[in-house]
Every structure is written in structure tokens, then in C-alpha cells.
Amino acid sequence: MAQVEKRSGGCQCGKVRFEVTVDLGAPVISCNCSMCGRSGTLLTFVPADQFTLLSGEGELTDYRFNKHVIHHLFCKVCGIKSFARGSGPKGPTVAINTRCLDDIDIEKLNITRVDGKSR
Ligand SMILES: [Zn+2]
């Protein structure tokens, strides 16, 4: 069931803040790859035009691995990965770490396991 909402979120220390229009009824990816498996991110993907970075661009460190297509961005102050930038079939995409949305109830999300490790 679609549950489209405008949400705010960001990193732990508050330097990185964003607003995003996100469907909280859509599957949220719990992946076991070398990155997600370690950091515990729960990702949902939105078109880049539904995402606005309000502050913190200068605080972000960009880490890339594997095919270097996804910009894994983390706050250089607190280390939290609140989102990543990449490109999907429909163009620029932002992967939101739903754990970093304000007042989110993780238990209510549609968490879907993805076996990124063996891909
Ligand atoms: Zn931070």
C-alpha cells in the first residue's frame, strides 16, 4: 500500500539535513553486501528530484567501491550514512537510509531482504 509522505532526516550530529518525498509503504532493502551488511542501512530509493539536501553538502565524504556507480556519502563529523547518490534505470536516484528519517518507526516498514553478497 502506497504511503507517500514528505519526510525530513539527516545524520546524527545534525550537520547533514534533508527533505524527501518517500513512499514508506514501498519495500525497504535490507542487504547483506559488504557495505550494507556492515553499516546496517535500510534503504529505499527515490528519484533525485524528490530529494533536497538542506544542509551539509560540505560535510559529506564520498566513498565508492565495486563498480563505483554509487556515491556512499557519510557525514565526516559523526560518520552516519543517511543517504547515497546513484543512478537507476529512470535516471539519478537517491538511496535513503530509512533509519535516518526523523521519528521513523522501523518496525512498520516493509523490510525486504536482498542477497547483495552473492551478486
Ligand atoms: Zn553528522
Side-chain angles (χ1 to χ4, degrees):
M1 202 169 56
Q3 197 187 327
V4 179
E5 293 177 23
K6 190 164 194 175
R7 285 291 196 137
S8 56
C11 70
Q12 192 268 342
C13 73
K15 298 263 188 202
V16 176
R17 294 292 301 162
F18 59 78
E19 273 183 350
V20 62
T21 302
V22 59
D23 180 3
L24 291 174
V28 170
I29 305 301
S30 171
C31 174
N32 63 357
C33 81
S34 59
M35 171 61 80
C36 306
R38 283 177 170 79
S39 58
T41 48
L42 293 172
L43 299 176
T44 192
F45 297 84
V46 300
D49 61 4
Q50 287 177 213
F51 176 89
T52 306
L53 185 63
L54 302 173
S55 66
E57 184 76 52
E59 309 298 334
L60 293 168
T61 298
D62 182 357
Y63 173 66
R64 277 170 278 176
F65 71 107
N66 195 5
K67 293 174 187 157
H68 287 238
V69 287
I70 302 172
H71 296 261
H72 297 272
L73 302 166
F74 61 91
C75 172
K76 68 182 179 191
V77 180
C78 68
I80 296 297
K81 280 163 51 105
S82 52
F83 69 100
R85 293 188 177 119
S87 56
K90 292 176 194 160
T93 302
V94 178
I96 307 297
N97 181 5
T98 53
R99 289 185 181 277
C100 294
L101 296 173
D102 296 341
D103 304 318
I104 192 75
D105 185 350
I106 296 292
E107 304 301 321
K108 289 189 180 149
L109 296 175
N110 177 16
I111 293 172
T112 304
R113 290 182 194 283
V114 168
D115 185 9
K117 198 182 209 167
S118 38
R119 282 191 186 168

